[in-house]
């Protein structure tokens, strides 16, 4: 609730300052040059926004850059989306007011939520660059007042957090037929529990579909390079889909929009003579939000996959371990006198990191100082998801979250290790085994619990409640720097045990 109020407030404040000071915009906007593969890209709408530089989605420089990277950018004012589409295929999407953006089905925290100003959509430019695997604006050569340099300036070396050198994404040859496809009709059939929408198309082409986040349950598919040869359609379809609308959206796009009753499962199947969309009454907690493909003689279903727990996770960086020190910043965790959970977890996590790094592992911490990972006073959901994002976005091997337990009385003591997914169990057991054997703590067991951080990590994850701050003996241990070092050693040993057997 607080977060939402703050976000709206900051957008209003921007709008207000613009109203009060007519020159604000021209003063704030700067021309900034970015060098991509020796090509000068000039951003003309750059603004300094709290959180980082912002650029308008209709900035010609931004379009040049995205195009040079082999992608296309579009701004959909009806649905408040900025989309960057690779023919690869993958989709990067920013939504107005949403401080996360999607790369395929992976959610990443943005520097700030994209906002509307003066009917222009502004997006965090550094996140766009990161999504394109390019260095951030601050790492690019500064603009020069003098004319363009004669020799192209090479792209700066990628910084530490941008591992792969910028390579253009795989570029499937785009296949818009010169002859527009014809959408000849849309047939809607309601069955108990589902609705089937058949989009009849003559010709070849591509499509993409999107859905908004619940509770806004709009879903739509855009058929590219196509003409609608029937009259626009508005049809009610029953319980699962309250309405179906078909329009010539613009010169070359036909849009079929569904109003869903909830976050329904929607399957899209392209074929030789059109596209079949089936919306089922079944709802998905984490419904995929976009996909694309081609129809006609080369029909391919290339919708972005849902994050499916049944698919075995393959780390893109198998040498990377993410350590999550519980709490931090505005959230002290559990507290006893001057002793705060957030400081204990950070200290233990730093030791775990140092031990693992010394043993040749790459380690990233979700936080390395006393701060909130998402934002101060944020919701538990945003804060915990931000921690998962750190590991998920980097394709880490595993995630371990370190906490301190507490109870209403001083009785309970010892270590408890939590897991949730089947793939977590071996990790949780390995860590718990080392902790109990190396520190001689009471073993409260390895317990299955649907804890957010563990459940939303794509990889094996475990959460350790190291000891009870509410128990005097455990508290004395927690307050001992030497004991925390030993705990870190045991956690690191457990992690290494796990990696050797899994
Ligand atoms: Zn905690």
């Amino acid at each position: 609730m607080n977060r939402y109020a703050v976000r709206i407030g900051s957008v209003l404040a921007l709008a207000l300052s613009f109203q009060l000071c007519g020159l604000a915009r021209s003063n704030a906007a700067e021309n900034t040059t970015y060098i991509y593969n020796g090509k000068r890209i000039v951003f003309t709408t750059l603004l300094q926004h709290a959180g980082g530089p912002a650029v308008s989605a209709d900035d010609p420089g931004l379009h040049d850059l995205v195009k040079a990277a082999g992608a296309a950018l579009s701004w959909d004012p009806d649905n408040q989306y900025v989309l960057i589409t690779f023919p690869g295929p993958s989709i990067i999407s920013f939504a107005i007011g949403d401080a996360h953006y999607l790369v395929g089905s992976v959610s990443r925290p943005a520097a700030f939520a994209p906002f509307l100003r003066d009917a222009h959509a502004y997006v965090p430019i550094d996140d766009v660059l990161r999504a394109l695997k390019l260095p951030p604006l601050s790492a690019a050569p500064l603009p020069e007042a003098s004319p363009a340099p004669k020799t192209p300036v090479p792209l700066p070396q990628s910084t530490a957090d941008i591992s792969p050198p910028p390579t253009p994404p795989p570029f499937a040859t785009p296949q818009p037929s010169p002859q527009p496809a014809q959408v000849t009709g849309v047939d809607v059939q309601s069955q108990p529990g589902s609705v089937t929408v058949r989009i009849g198309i003559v010709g070849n082409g591509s499509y993409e579909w999107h859905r908004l986040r619940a509770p806004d349950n709009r879903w739509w598919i855009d058929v590219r390079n196509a003409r609608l040869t029937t009259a626009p359609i508005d049809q009610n379809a029953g319980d699962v889909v309250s309405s179906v609308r078909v329009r010539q959206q613009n010169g070359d796009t036909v849009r079929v929009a569904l109003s869903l009753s909830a976050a329904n499962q929607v399957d899209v199947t392209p074929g030789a003579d059109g596209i079949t969309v089936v919306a089922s009454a079944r709802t998905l907690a984490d419904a995929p939000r976009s996909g694309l493909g081609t129809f006609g003689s080369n029909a391919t279903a290339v919708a972005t996959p849902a994050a499916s727990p049944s698919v075995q996770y393959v780390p893109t960086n198998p040498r990377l371990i993410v350590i999550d020190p519980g709490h931090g910043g505005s959230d002290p965790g559990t507290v006893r006198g001057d002793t705060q959970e957030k400081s204990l977890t950070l200290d233990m996590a730093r030791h775990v990191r140092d031990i693992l790094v010394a043993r040749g592992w790459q380690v990233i911490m979700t936080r390395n100082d006393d701060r909130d990972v998402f934002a101060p006073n944020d919701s538990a959901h945003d804060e915990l998801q931000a921690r998962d994002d750190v590991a998920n976005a980097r394709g880490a091997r595993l995630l371990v979250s370190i906490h301190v337990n507490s109870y209403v009385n001083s009785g309970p003591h010892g270590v408890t290790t939590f897991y949730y997914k089947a793939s977590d169990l071996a990790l949780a057991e390995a860590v718990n085994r080392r902790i109990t054997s190396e520190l001689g703590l009471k073993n409260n067991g390895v317990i299955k619990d649907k804890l957010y951080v563990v459940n939303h990590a794509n990889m094996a994850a475990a959460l350790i409640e190291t000891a009870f701050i509410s128990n005097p003996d455990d508290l004395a241990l927690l307050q001992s720097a030497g004991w925390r070092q030993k705990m870190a050693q045991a956690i690191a040993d457990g992690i290494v045990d796990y990696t050797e057997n899994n």
Side-chain angles (χ1 to χ4, degrees), residues 49 88-89 95 118 123 132 139 152 172 183 207 261 299 325 353 388 401 448 459:
H49 182 69
D118 208 19
V123 292
L132 295 171
V183 176
Y207 66 86
S261 58
R353 174 197 59 196
D388 284 318
S401 185
K448 181 170 181 172
M459 62 290 300

Side-chain angles (χ1 to χ4, degrees), residues 3 98-101 106-111 213 322-325 327-328 364-367 371-376 378-394 399 401 452-454 456-459:
R3 162 170 311 291
D98 188 343
H100 284 77
Y101 62 103
V106 177
S107 170
R108 295 187 187 173
R213 231 183 248 269
V322 173
I323 303 295
D324 173 42
H327 312 276
I364 289 182
M365 313 243 290
T366 55
R367 64 182 181 95
R371 64 183 176 89
D372 303 83
V373 174
F374 188 76
D378 51 2
S379 68
H381 170 273
D382 285 346
E383 180 63 22
L384 297 173
Q385 182 62 48
R387 292 166 192 253
D388 284 318
D389 288 344
V390 169
N392 290 344
R394 290 173 173 82
L399 169 70
S401 185
Y452 191 99
V453 165
V454 177
H456 289 81
N458 294 342
M459 62 290 300

Side-chain angles (χ1 to χ4, degrees), residues 326-327 331 333-334 341 345 402-405 463 465:
H327 312 276
D331 169 20
T334 189
E341 179 181 2
T345 59
I402 300 175
H403 285 254
V404 171
N405 220 335
L463 186 149
E465 295 283 3

Side-chain angles (χ1 to χ4, degrees), residues 249-265:
Q249 182 73 7
N250 55 43
D252 65 353
T253 301
V254 174
R255 173 168 297 179
V256 178
L258 313 183
S259 292
L260 302 174
S261 58
N264 302 94
Q265 178 175 340

Side-chain angles (χ1 to χ4, degrees), residues 425-502:
L425 181 59
L427 174 62
E429 285 179 341
V431 170
N432 194 263
R433 193 179 305 124
R434 283 288 192 162
I435 294 171
T436 49
S437 68
E438 293 182 21
L439 287 104
L441 284 177
K442 173 168 184 260
N443 185 1
N444 297 309
V446 173
I447 294 175
K448 181 170 181 172
D449 195 344
K450 198 171 182 178
L451 299 175
Y452 191 99
V453 165
V454 177
N455 182 29
H456 289 81
N458 294 342
M459 62 290 300
L463 186 149
I464 306 161
E465 295 283 3
T466 47
F468 280 80
I469 203 169
S470 46
N471 175 272
D473 295 335
D474 273 14
L475 177 60
L477 296 173
L478 286 163
Q479 288 172 332
S480 153
W483 183 88
R484 293 197 300 269
Q485 168 80 49
K486 277 192 204 161
M487 172 60 77
Q489 183 68 53
I491 292 170
D493 289 343
I495 288 171
V496 173
D497 288 349
Y498 166 79
T499 61
E500 284 169 355
N501 298 304
N502 288 274

